[in-house]
Amino acid sequence: MVKTNKLHVFNDPIYGFIGTPNELIFSLISHPYFQRLRRISQMGLSYLVYPGAHHTRFHHALGSMHLMTKAIQVLKVKNVEITEAEEKGLLCAILLHDIGHGPFSHALEGFVAKEISHEQISLRFMMELNSEFNGQLDIAISIFKGDYPKPFLNQLVSSQLDMDRLDYLKRDSFYSGVTEGNINSERLISMLNVVDGNLVLEEKAIYAVEKFLMARRFMYWQVYLHKTGLVAEQLLVRIMQRARWLLSQGRSLAGSEPLLFFLKNNGTLNFNKEVLETFAKLDDIDILGALKGWQSNEDFVLSKLCGMLLERRLLHVKVKKQPMAKEKLTEKLDWIIKKHDLSVEEASNFVFEGEISNKAYSRDEAIQILKKNGKISDVLKESDQLSLKALAKTVTKYYSCYPKKAV
């Protein structure tokens, strides 16, 4: 006799009680692949700026699924056809959409495993789970890949107005305490509709959309691309690069088996089942544990970078509209080379520059507004907010990082 899982309820600080709609969802949440998300930070190292930002991908996945249940209910009331199988596929797709994130989410994107994105790893996980659950994720995978024949189902999972964005903006705003990022996800969902197979918003939601897009812009510049979080993540990348180089030189480093596996393999791997299983054992704890051990390493660069990150003694960082003058950056590089007798390559871990960019709204995947006369129009055409037009332009800023004199 097969034991029936009891369906659980999660108490979420954003939405209240979140239920598990069916046994498949419950089984997916219970799976070790998904439970790993409890140990993956949602906002990378942003907690060094916003102390409350310690929530995880687990929180976000459940919240996105909850919003998806609300969206399905709204569309069904409006006589949009969604079969029981499609509903289950939608819920599974949104639940698992971020399952492929590595430690500290975007902070180490593309480093642990080169040339493969977290979306591609999510797909690998989903395909493995589909095999384990006897093909029950077929529709979910098709929706996740964006090739299901009903476009609006794909758009609910991935678009400029998907349940992923509606949750992470509201959730990240809550946990960071940045109230300007708070959005009215309930209002937006209640105004969803489908026209010619595509997801649209009814005209009454225009102000909620404006608030949503402005909030997204604010959250990116004030939170996700905050200069302190930016320099912290850059330090983390350089720590991993230094550790990988030391290992390639035959040096011994302490660390968990999964972390050392990916560092020694230089990030270029055939992501087969064995590698996927190893990735499934890798999380934030592996990284933090390594940093704590490496801060006493005999290698100056590695130990210094680890200590700076763990004790929040970060580099000074400036973000401007134009890059820093080369001579100024060279001057700071020369200073640290002389102070610690470093090579140019070693010193470049402490003095570096780069650029960041953001576009809050893409015309390529326009948010379509359903007007009262039945016509469809781009939200930018319907909005009377002049600032909204600027959101469709890519804004690029330049950062430079260098040590404070105490380093």
Side-chain angles (χ1 to χ4, degrees), residues 209-241:
V209 179
E210 290 175 353
K211 172 70 163 57
F212 164 73
L213 292 175
M214 292 300 293
R216 187 166 185 268
R217 174 183 178 275
F218 188 91
M219 286 294 287
Y220 267 89
W221 288 119
Q222 188 68 22
V223 180
Y224 305 134
L225 297 176
H226 189 284
K227 65 177 186 177
T228 304
L230 173 68
V231 70
E233 293 186 356
Q234 287 294 320
L235 288 179
L236 181 58
V237 169
R238 280 159 175 76
I239 288 169
M240 292 297 122
Q241 288 173 338

Side-chain angles (χ1 to χ4, degrees), residues 73-322:
Q73 291 170 5
V74 166
L75 293 176
K76 281 187 170 182
V77 167
K78 296 177 182 179
N79 297 318
V80 176
E81 183 186 9
I82 302 175
T83 68
E84 186 177 336
E86 289 170 342
E87 180 174 344
K88 185 178 287 189
L90 274 173
L91 294 176
C92 291
I94 197 67
L95 181 73
L96 302 175
H97 77 282
D98 273 345
I99 199 170
H101 265 296
F104 292 103
S105 292
H106 294 286
L108 292 177
E109 178 90 17
F111 177 79
V112 173
K114 288 183 180 177
E115 299 175 357
I116 183 168
S117 66
H118 76 268
E119 291 93 350
Q120 291 171 308
I121 300 175
S122 292
L123 182 58
R124 303 288 176 91
F125 273 124
M126 290 173 73
M127 292 174 73
E128 192 60 39
L129 288 167
N130 194 35
S131 176
E132 191 173 323
F133 287 94
N134 302 314
Q136 293 187 72
L137 299 181
D138 283 344
I139 293 178
I141 289 173
S142 179
I143 291 172
F144 180 80
K145 290 165 66 177
D147 56 18
Y148 194 73
K150 291 184 178 179
F152 76 92
L153 297 183
N154 307 327
Q155 292 158 4
L156 283 168
V157 173
S158 180
S159 68
Q160 290 199 95
L161 201 64
D162 56 36
M163 299 306 106
D164 172 29
R165 292 188 185 189
L166 291 188
D167 180 79
Y168 77 63
L169 285 175
K170 195 173 186 68
R171 186 168 301 277
D172 296 350
S173 168
F174 175 86
Y175 279 98
S176 65
V178 180
T179 56
E180 291 88 348
N182 191 19
I183 61 169
N184 193 343
S185 55
E186 295 82 1
R187 174 65 172 171
L188 289 167
I189 289 173
S190 70
M191 292 292 106
L192 288 175
N193 212 324
V194 174
V195 175
D196 296 331
N198 289 296
L199 201 63
V200 299
L201 273 172
E202 293 167 7
E203 190 174 9
K204 288 183 289 185
I206 189 70
Y207 298 119
V209 179
E210 290 175 353
K211 172 70 163 57
F212 164 73
L213 292 175
M214 292 300 293
R216 187 166 185 268
R217 174 183 178 275
F218 188 91
M219 286 294 287
Y220 267 89
W221 288 119
Q222 188 68 22
V223 180
Y224 305 134
L225 297 176
H226 189 284
K227 65 177 186 177
T228 304
L230 173 68
V231 70
E233 293 186 356
Q234 287 294 320
L235 288 179
L236 181 58
V237 169
R238 280 159 175 76
I239 288 169
M240 292 297 122
Q241 288 173 338
R242 186 65 177 180
R244 180 170 280 165
W245 182 81
L246 290 170
L247 287 169
S248 72
Q249 300 302 302
R251 300 278 288 275
S252 178
L253 284 180
S256 69
E257 286 186 21
L259 177 59
L260 292 178
F261 172 82
F262 285 103
L263 288 177
K264 289 177 180 178
N265 279 283
N266 201 30
T268 53
L269 292 159
N270 173 23
F271 228 82
N272 55 29
K273 183 176 180 180
E274 183 182 355
V275 174
L276 189 70
E277 290 293 339
T278 305
F279 185 85
K281 297 174 184 174
L282 187 67
D283 54 50
D284 292 9
I285 297 170
D286 297 88
I287 304 297
L288 290 173
L291 264 57
K292 289 179 71 176
W294 295 347
Q295 66 179 329
S296 57
N297 192 275
E298 62 182 14
D299 181 75
F300 173 82
V301 174
L302 184 65
S303 62
K304 196 71 175 177
L305 291 174
C306 288
M308 290 169 67
L309 195 55
L310 288 171
E311 298 171 14
R312 203 187 180 280
R313 293 181 287 104
L314 306 175
L315 297 172
H316 188 66
V317 55
K318 285 188 176 181
V319 178
K320 294 188 174 182
K321 293 181 179 179
Q322 300 294 330

